[in-house]
Amino acid sequence: MLIDIRDLYKIYNEGKESEVRALDGVSLQIDRGEFVAIVGQSGSGKSTMMNVLGCLDVPTYGEYYLDGNDINSLSDKQLARIRNREIGFIFQGYNLIQELDALENVTLPLIYRGVSVFDREDMAMEALAKVGMDSRARHRPSEMSGGQQQRVAIARAIATSPPIIMADEPTGALDSRTGKHVLEILRELYRGGTTILLITHDDGIAATAKRVVRLSDGKIVSDSQQEVEWE
Amino acid sequence: MNLWQAFKMAFKSIAMKKTRSFLTMLGIIIGVASVVIMMSVMQGQAKKSMEMFEKLGENKITLYLWAWDGGESAQRVTDYCLVLGDYITGITPNAEINDTVTIQYGSKTIKTNDWENFDWNSGTDPWSTMLHVYLGSEQYGICNNYKLAGGREMSYLEVEKGLPVCILAAGAKEQLFGFTDPVGETITLNGDPFQVVGYYKPMDIEYRPEMDNLIVIPYTFNRTMNNNYDMNEYAIKARDAQSTVQAMTRLTAFLNGMFPMNADGWRENGDFRVSSNNSAAENQQKASMMQSLVMAAIAGISLLVGGIGIMNIMLVTVTERTREIGIRKAIGAERSSIITQFLIEAAVICSIGGLIGIGIGYVGTMIAGKLMKDVFEGMILVPDTTIAIGAFLFSVVLGIIFGMYPAIKASGLQPVEALRAD
């Protein structure tokens, strides 16, 4: 079991009138090598779910085991390590650092990982090549299109070869053609054995995943396997 | 992440945000530069004002005596000074021959106090050129802080017996002898021959140029050359600061007895004044100290303002860069990495600012020295290295302190909170 959450709550303004239960008692198990889409309307708690699963946020209550480790018991430093080595993030808004060029952005996680100067540039170039962006290595984000920026962001996510990729609306800001390209890259990663978590509100996008978890008002309303046409 | 990487990131970030970095530096630059300039000018001023006192010599008591009974009271005072031997090392009359004296050496003829023939349109100050003949004892040099440049002082016997010898101050020696050695030569004063036994080094006191234009002869010539006028000024050299006070107290008491005050507050037999440079020098020193403190406070405030500027910019920077910090945390930056990055950034900005500040401070000090060259005549203003280094270190420490808070604040955020910022 790679991801194992039990009875997870994320409550904002708890006890006040404005209390919001973004996650309201969620339990979910995901195995290594799965391709899971988490689907829901906006406000359903799917982004909160990804933030908690990705150790970007802490749950209010509940247990979370990642690869057998109890996340609640880990230190800040250990969490940083997990974000660096276990999980690769792809965000809707790309979240590239504007002052750095594509190569430097992709190199960043390798720097934090402590990869030597001699290896990390090669590794970063390799990751850029995988998403077809090696020719744009010296371009800044402002000099690239949305699709190109998202591909750089994917390169950054896969640079450390993490076992899990979490993508939050990765195609949300892209037109359908570049969106399809991004999904193709995700499928490619899945075929290589990476566990993919795809968060989306779009059922069409969710159709690309082999398992669909539907969220509504912070609760899981359905969890089903499905046939996919690309396999 | 290693330190080198952190440095590279910091430099990159500074280079990327040039305006922001410059504004941050500006505070430190102004702070450090103003500290260096202010302290240098102030030190120069203090040094300049103490210079005169140093040249005049410490522990010098000046005694003015106005007696209506001829030389008798003067003799009693000098005799009394022998009793003060524990406190004083020398006493000399310090009286000028006020009549015109014609000095001759070879073909040169110079008149003293020759006001009628002085060319007032020549642009020269009579005090810095006109020669004066003074009456003194064998202790004239010691009492007035002159240093011998060649030859010797007059001897006790020469003074007591009224032998025709003289000593030249530097300016007088130059006017009469140029660069040749005057020792052993004979000059004439009003036609009488005087042998030069020694000459003094220049005093170079800005406010007392006449001190370098003296010819000193034994005071025993008072009768023959000065119409036996009263000698009413005496220079007394005390052994140390404490002795100066003691000697002054005793002299004053003695003179109060000699010239008693009547019921109306008048002294009927004569009057006197006892003073020393010590109190003036002390006052000057106190004034300089006060000035230093005020200047240091102002300098400290400018540095502090610079530091607050840094703090503001750093806080703004954090808000502006919270998203970046979120991204960095999301891809695995540890808290310490982010703190290190911000600290180095702050320290680097402050160091560069501090170095530029020192540079401007040095140049500014030179310019200030030029602009105020009338005040600092003949003195080159040099910034104090200790102060420059101190101001530099202070600015770097400020940068680190003020850089610390925003860095801690920024790195403590949950990644998702930081990412949400826009």
Side-chain angles (χ1 to χ4, degrees), chain A residues 12 51 55-58 76-77 80-81 83-84 87 89 91 93 95-97 99-100 104-105 108-109 111-114 117 120 140 156, chain B residues 1-2 4-5 8-9 12 16-17 321 323-324 326-338 341 411 414-417 419-420:
Chain A
Y12 296 102
N51 291 336
C55 303
L56 297 177
D57 207 353
V58 286
D76 202 53
K77 200 168 171 162
R81 209 179 160 86
R83 287 193 291 265
N84 185 241
I87 305 166
F89 292 99
F91 301 95
N95 279 344
L96 296 173
I97 294 176
E99 285 80 34
L100 304 179
E104 287 167 330
N105 265 295
L108 218 47
I111 291 173
Y112 290 129
R113 188 175 184 168
V117 173
R120 64 183 174 228
R140 296 250 186 92
R156 184 182 62 187
Chain B
M1 189 174 73
N2 60 21
W4 169 237
Q5 201 60 44
K8 259 172 77 178
M9 269 187 198
K12 186 137 199 136
M16 287 301 163
K17 302 266 170 77
R321 288 168 65 189
R323 197 180 172 84
E324 179 194 327
I327 296 171
R328 287 179 185 272
K329 288 201 82 169
I331 59 175
E334 286 172 21
R335 194 173 181 195
S336 60
S337 306
I338 289 169
Q341 187 195 335
S411 63
Q414 285 290 337
V416 67
E417 293 167 36
L419 279 171
R420 223 175 267 142

Side-chain angles (χ1 to χ4, degrees), chain B residues 142-221:
Chain B
I142 296 173
C143 294
N144 288 295
N145 212 36
Y146 283 105
K147 304 277 180 299
L148 275 174
R152 57 169 177 85
E153 298 276 358
M154 299 184 291
S155 73
Y156 174 71
L157 278 176
E158 282 163 349
V159 173
E160 283 304 301
K161 291 192 176 301
L163 296 182
V165 292
C166 65
I167 292 204
L168 309 178
K173 180 243 171 192
E174 201 188 315
Q175 283 196 39
L176 288 167
F177 291 91
F179 296 104
T180 58
D181 186 0
V183 177
E185 300 293 321
T186 302
I187 61 172
T188 64
L189 302 178
N190 288 343
D192 297 330
F194 281 78
Q195 194 186 26
V196 179
V197 295
Y199 62 104
Y200 295 130
K201 287 180 180 167
M203 290 292 273
D204 264 341
I205 299 177
E206 202 181 335
Y207 306 107
R208 302 286 304 275
E210 75 278 10
M211 282 188 80
D212 277 328
N213 294 324
L214 305 187
I215 296 170
V216 184
I217 61 172
Y219 68 84
T220 38
F221 281 93

Side-chain angles (χ1 to χ4, degrees), chain B residues 43-166:
Chain B
Q43 278 186 333
Q45 207 179 11
K47 207 170 139 195
K48 190 73 198 169
S49 57
M50 289 312 290
E51 201 176 41
M52 187 178 84
F53 292 110
E54 269 162 32
K55 282 180 178 169
L56 283 173
E58 287 177 326
N59 309 322
K60 178 182 167 184
I61 302 168
T62 304
L63 168 65
Y64 293 97
L65 207 62
W66 300 278
W68 325 133
D69 58 357
E72 194 194 327
S73 45
Q75 191 57 51
R76 279 172 67 193
V77 172
T78 38
D79 285 348
Y80 179 71
C81 283
L82 295 177
V83 182
L84 298 176
D86 283 350
Y87 305 114
I88 66 177
T89 56
I91 176 167
T92 179
N94 199 10
E96 180 175 4
I97 296 178
N98 290 306
D99 294 337
T100 300
V101 177
T102 307
I103 308 164
Q104 273 187 305
Y105 173 70
S107 60
K108 280 200 184 100
T109 304
I110 300 172
K111 284 183 172 180
T112 66
N113 294 326
D114 187 14
W115 301 101
E116 286 87 7
N117 294 320
F118 185 80
D119 180 9
W120 293 97
N121 297 320
S122 67
T124 50
D125 169 19
W127 289 108
S128 60
T129 52
M130 200 174 279
L131 296 188
H132 311 273
V133 177
Y134 267 67
L135 298 162
S137 76
E138 72 281 3
Q139 289 159 331
Y140 194 86
I142 296 173
C143 294
N144 288 295
N145 212 36
Y146 283 105
K147 304 277 180 299
L148 275 174
R152 57 169 177 85
E153 298 276 358
M154 299 184 291
S155 73
Y156 174 71
L157 278 176
E158 282 163 349
V159 173
E160 283 304 301
K161 291 192 176 301
L163 296 182
V165 292
C166 65

